[in-house]
């Protein structure tokens, strides 16, 4: 997720989480609800389990993404599974009338094939397919699903007019995509001019619209109310709210159009947070600007202490070139995983890693079941996903 960001806490997220299964479904051995009985579900069986098939016997994962309070993964055989909060249908498994607000175990997202990329926002999710189309589901209050409506969608719907996307970025209330040729389009609550903190998008579009002033773009990331684009030349441009200096142009004035980030070049990856932005350089160092939890970087990029030899950044965590995962806590760094991580993803209060063997492990807040371990317990160490 490239939107709301949690503090650099090394997985020690001090959140009081509810305990128990918490799927909103009938627990095994209990009396089923009237809705469960009406559906024909056997007594004592979870209704949610009636609506999604079991995962394949080989449930190895090759792609993960984290949102506000939900998480998704793509299996090596191509299917996509999500878990966590589902109050707006962000898990993509349908049946909105069942009123199941959370899911603590992976649930199949319906109607997706050929998925190449996943990007999760605060309360929605999007998938880019091999054919260049994009499908989104979940909250749509600001038009962030791009289907021309403002109605929540409980199963994936295709973004109108997008047929040649090569990269994707979902934020709190907006989604952007890079198209073949390097142009950028966005839809939803778009970051805009004169945003006032606490920033809210000032422009909305229920369908994709081009972002002027950008060319030769290879990646895009969206935060709470700002967005940034990475060019093929390794330079970054940002636009939207700038109250904390998260645009990196040396000012704190919001910008309706993209502005170049100062004193920054050779970027390999960029990640927009709530009121901050960080870039991973091609030489494995990290630069950040804006305000990240307790750390004030200011309106121009500054080195991230201890951020050397980094292969990937996500929220408050980084994956080292040797596969170790570390997260920031105030001015310190705490190692969460000593090695073996192939990818990482971070949500609002939780994070996940994917091992080279296709196993997912998550830690942090778990009040909505976003860790996928079948519980709602806070985990301070990476905990294996349950299937």
């Amino acid at each position: 997720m490239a939107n709301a960001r949690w503090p650099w806490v090394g997985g020690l997220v001090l959140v009081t989480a509810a305990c128990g299964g918490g799927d909103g479904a009938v627990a095994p051995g209990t009396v089923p609800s009237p809705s469960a009985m009406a559906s024909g579900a056997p007594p004592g069986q979870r209704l949610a389990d009636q609506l999604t098939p079991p995962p394949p016997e080989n449930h190895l994962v090759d792609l993960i993404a984290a949102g506000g309070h939900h998480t998704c993964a793509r299996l090596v055989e191509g299917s996509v599974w999500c878990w966590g909060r589902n109050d707006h249908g962000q898990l993509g498994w349908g049946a909105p009338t069942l009123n199941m607000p959370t899911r603590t175990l992976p649930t199949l997202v319906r109607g997706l094939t050929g998925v190449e990329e996943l990007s999760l926002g605060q309360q929605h999710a999007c998938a880019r397919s091999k054919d260049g189309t994009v499908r989104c589901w979940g909250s749509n209050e600001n038009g962030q699903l791009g289907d021309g409506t403002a109605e929540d969608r409980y199963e994936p719907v295709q973004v109108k007019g997008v047929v040649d996307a090569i990269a994707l970025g979902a934020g709190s209330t907006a989604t952007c995509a890079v198209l073949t040729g390097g142009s950028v389009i966005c839809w939803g609550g778009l970051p805009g001019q004169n945003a006032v903190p606490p920033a809210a998008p000032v422009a909305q579009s229920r369908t994709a619209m081009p972002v002027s002033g950008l060319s030769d773009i290879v990646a895009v990331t969206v935060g709470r109310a700002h967005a940034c684009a990475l060019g093929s030349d390794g330079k970054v441009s940002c636009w939207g709210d700038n109250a904390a200096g998260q645009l990196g142009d040396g000012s704190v004035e919001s910008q309706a159009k993209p502005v170049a980030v100062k004193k920054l070049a050779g970027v390999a990856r960029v990640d927009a947070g709530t009121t901050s932005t960080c870039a991973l350089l091609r030489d494995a160092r990290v630069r950040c600007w804006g305000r990240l939890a307790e750390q004030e970087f200011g309106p121009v990029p500054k080195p991230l202490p201890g951020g050397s030899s980094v292969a990937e950044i996500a929220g408050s965590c980084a994956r080292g070139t040797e596969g170790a995962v570390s997260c920031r806590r105030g001015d310190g760094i705490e190692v969460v995983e000593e090695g073996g991580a192939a990818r990482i993803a971070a949500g609002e209060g939780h994070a996940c890693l994917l091992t080279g063997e296709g196993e997912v492990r998550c830690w942090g807040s778990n009040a909505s079941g976003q860790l996928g371990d079948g519980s709602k317990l806070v985990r301070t160490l990476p905990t294996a996903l349950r299937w």
Side-chain angles (χ1 to χ4, degrees):
M1 170 194 177
N3 51 317
R5 289 299 182 211
W6 51 304
W8 299 88
V9 292
L12 301 179
V13 185
L14 301 180
V15 178
T16 302
C19 300
D23 291 320
V26 179
T30 62
V31 178
S33 67
S35 59
M37 296 175 66
S39 72
Q45 189 168 359
R46 291 178 184 269
L47 181 55
D49 293 335
Q50 303 297 307
L51 303 174
T52 183
E57 184 175 346
N58 179 2
H59 46 70
L60 298 180
V61 173
D62 61 4
L63 181 64
I64 56 173
H69 302 277
H70 61 301
T71 314
C72 295
R74 182 189 66 189
L75 300 188
V76 293
E77 47 80 29
S79 62
V80 175
W81 299 70
C82 298
W83 55 95
R85 184 175 293 179
N86 194 45
D87 52 340
H88 291 273
Q90 55 265 53
L91 301 189
W93 65 286
T97 59
L98 297 178
N99 193 28
M100 294 180 183
T102 62
R103 189 84 168 101
T104 63
L105 296 174
T107 304
L108 178 68
V109 180
R110 302 176 181 182
L112 290 179
T113 58
V115 173
E116 286 282 289
E117 182 180 8
L118 292 169
S119 187
L120 275 56
Q122 181 70 11
Q123 296 176 321
H124 76 292
C126 294
R128 177 178 60 85
S129 297
K130 294 179 181 178
D131 61 5
T133 59
V134 176
R135 288 168 174 78
C136 301
W137 60 97
S139 176
N140 199 24
E141 181 180 1
N142 294 277
Q144 58 264 52
L145 304 189
D147 66 342
T149 77
E151 299 177 5
D152 291 356
R153 300 295 185 180
Y154 301 92
E155 295 182 12
V157 292
Q158 186 168 341
V159 178
K160 288 188 174 182
V162 180
V163 295
D164 58 347
I166 60 172
L168 193 61
S172 290
T173 59
T175 313
C176 295
V178 181
L179 304 182
T180 301
S183 62
V184 175
I185 56 174
C186 296
W187 56 94
L190 305 177
Q193 193 172 21
N194 298 324
V196 177
V202 299
Q204 290 187 5
S205 176
R206 297 177 182 177
T207 55
M209 297 183 65
V211 179
S212 61
L214 294 175
S215 61
D216 296 323
I217 301 301
V218 296
V220 63
T221 177
V222 186
R224 183 183 64 183
H226 78 291
C228 296
L230 171 63
S232 60
D233 59 0
K235 297 182 180 180
V236 176
S237 297
C238 300
W239 66 100
D241 178 49
N242 197 26
Q246 59 263 50
L247 301 189
D249 65 342
S251 78
V252 289
E253 296 179 2
S254 299
Q255 301 291 338
K257 297 181 179 180
V259 292
V261 177
K262 290 186 175 182
K263 301 179 180 180
L264 188 69
V267 176
R269 180 180 175 125
V270 62
D271 186 63
T274 302
T275 56
S276 66
T277 313
C278 289
L280 173 62
L281 306 187
R282 292 169 181 168
D283 62 8
R285 294 178 298 160
V286 178
R287 296 288 186 272
C288 296
W289 55 98
R291 184 172 58 247
L292 180 60
E294 300 93 344
Q295 291 187 304
E296 187 79 41
F297 291 102
V300 293
K302 293 181 180 179
L304 183 66
S308 60
S309 301
V310 174
E312 184 182 9
I313 55 174
S316 41
C317 297
R319 175 174 60 86
T321 53
E322 301 299 323
V325 177
S326 60
C327 297
R328 185 159 294 277
R329 184 181 185 184
D331 292 330
I333 297 174
E334 182 164 348
V335 175
V336 179
E337 187 84 356
E338 294 185 355
R343 304 191 71 162
I344 57 174
E348 182 172 311
H350 74 292
C352 298
L353 65 85
L354 174 64
T355 70
E357 292 73 38
E359 179 187 0
V360 176
R361 301 174 188 167
C362 301
W363 66 98
S365 299
N366 197 25
S368 297
Q370 58 264 51
L371 304 189
D373 66 347
S375 79
K376 290 190 175 183
L377 298 173
V378 173
R379 304 294 186 182
T380 60
L381 296 174
T383 304
L385 178 67
R386 284 184 53 198
W387 292 90

